[in-house]
Amino acid sequence: MVRKAITTCDALDGANVVIYTKGSYPNNTNVRRDSDVDVVIELHDCLYYDYKPGVIGVEPPPPPYQGAWTPENWRQVVVDALAMAFGPDSIDASGRVAINISAVEGSRPSADVVPSFNYRRYDDPNRTLWHEGSCVFPTDGGSKIVNWPQQQLDNGRSLNTATNHRYKKYVRALKNAENFLAAEGAIGELPSYFMECLVYNVPAAILTTGDLDEGFRATLAHLWGLLEAEESEREMVEPNRMKWLFTSDKKWSIQDGKDLVLATWGHLGYGG
């Protein structure tokens, strides 16, 4: 439905647009209470880029983009296209990043649409080696947010295969635990992606310990050790392996992780 809204929009006729889902749905880590679908509408008519930290690009840089697609114009055209297709009352564009399409019972779930741009991180000065990503500009004027959906998808699938599908089972288990514990007031509500990040940092050998219950218990115990260690802030990564897990711009902290692990351990009756 989102794809049809964009591809039939006259204002986007001829634009090079790539549309795909990201997050828990394509990664098969979604749970019932976290039902929003994340849809990326990514413009490839222009390219944003940075260099890997420590790498300095050769001169001269590529000529700057001079077309009409500023972040503000791009977002507005996407908002207008969605409002035309779904009705203005179904669209909430007040968010800092995503444009929300409200759910219709029996017809569609809620969807968060992210109007993004093609992005590359160059790993050498001559711009011959790069990682392909996606970036979006917040409406409050903050710095662009870079995402790595394909890397997240590939790495998650690889770890899931290596653990006989336990990785994603344990991600969903931890998400369900967080939903229950937050609803009970035992912990604060956390972004569902955080649980995926936490479990990704557990080695395959730990995830495949014993039966499913023993493996999940071992996973929680290993996570507690990671979160207690001083070096965790410098070593734990997101599943895309392109970002550190604990940086100042994140919506979670090491203490959030410890609270979640400890509350889940107690909720499941794992003892001392």
Side-chain angles (χ1 to χ4, degrees):
M1 295 171 75
V2 172
R3 183 182 301 278
K4 182 179 180 181
I6 297 301
T7 57
T8 58
C9 175
D10 291 341
L12 292 169
D13 187 31
N16 184 5
V17 181
V18 177
I19 303 170
Y20 57 92
T21 56
K22 73 178 184 75
S24 61
Y25 267 81
N27 285 283
N28 195 26
T29 56
N30 56 300
V31 296
R32 187 178 298 273
R33 285 196 181 183
D34 303 316
S35 59
D36 284 0
V37 181
D38 295 318
V39 183
V40 179
I41 303 178
E42 189 173 281
L43 184 68
H44 281 230
D45 285 346
C46 51
L47 171 72
Y48 287 87
Y49 72 92
D50 293 299
Y51 289 94
K52 182 179 180 179
V55 174
I56 299 176
V58 296
E59 298 292 340
Y65 171 72
Q66 312 237 338
W69 292 122
T70 65
E72 295 78 15
N73 289 346
W74 175 234
R75 181 183 178 88
Q76 189 58 56
V77 168
V78 171
V79 169
D80 292 344
L82 296 176
M84 179 69 69
F86 294 95
D89 292 340
S90 295
I91 304 302
D92 180 3
S94 64
R96 179 172 176 263
V97 174
I99 303 159
N100 182 260
I101 304 171
S102 60
V104 174
E105 188 173 354
S107 173
R108 66 173 189 249
S110 173
D112 284 332
V113 175
V114 184
S116 303
F117 292 90
N118 191 22
Y119 175 85
R120 288 180 181 177
R121 192 197 76 182
Y122 289 111
D123 289 356
D124 71 313
N126 295 309
R127 299 184 292 276
T128 61
L129 301 172
W130 67 82
H131 294 276
E132 199 90 12
S134 181
C135 71
V136 58
F137 290 83
T139 58
D140 60 6
S143 300
K144 68 179 181 294
I145 300 169
V146 177
N147 296 303
W148 305 98
Q150 189 60 50
Q151 291 83 349
Q152 178 189 352
L153 192 64
D154 292 343
N155 293 339
R157 285 173 174 170
S158 178
L159 182 56
N160 203 44
T161 299
T163 58
N164 194 26
H165 307 290
R166 285 199 182 185
Y167 164 58
K168 294 187 179 182
K169 288 178 180 176
Y170 289 167
V171 170
R172 291 191 293 269
L174 193 57
K175 285 185 177 184
N176 277 318
E178 184 275 337
N179 282 332
F180 176 84
L181 293 164
E184 292 290 303
I187 62 171
E189 188 174 347
L190 295 166
S192 65
Y193 180 52
F194 183 47
M195 279 64 83
E196 185 172 338
C197 293
L198 288 173
V199 180
Y200 183 80
N201 283 272
V202 179
I206 300 295
L207 294 171
T208 54
T209 299
D211 62 21
L212 282 173
D213 184 64
E214 291 167 338
F216 192 59
R217 178 174 179 149
T219 295
L220 293 177
H222 187 83
L223 277 173
W224 181 262
L226 285 177
L227 295 166
E228 282 273 83
E230 291 183 4
E231 61 269 17
S232 61
E233 192 168 356
R234 302 187 301 272
E235 295 182 355
M236 295 181 74
V237 295
E238 294 186 16
N240 52 55
R241 302 194 72 86
M242 299 293 292
K243 292 182 177 182
W244 300 112
L245 179 54
F246 294 108
T247 51
S248 60
D249 60 325
K250 298 296 170 58
K251 298 177 181 179
W252 54 71
S253 66
I254 289 177
Q255 188 60 50
D256 288 329
K258 292 169 71 175
D259 291 344
L260 171 63
V261 169
L262 188 60
T264 301
W265 183 276
H267 174 62
L268 294 176
Y270 284 152

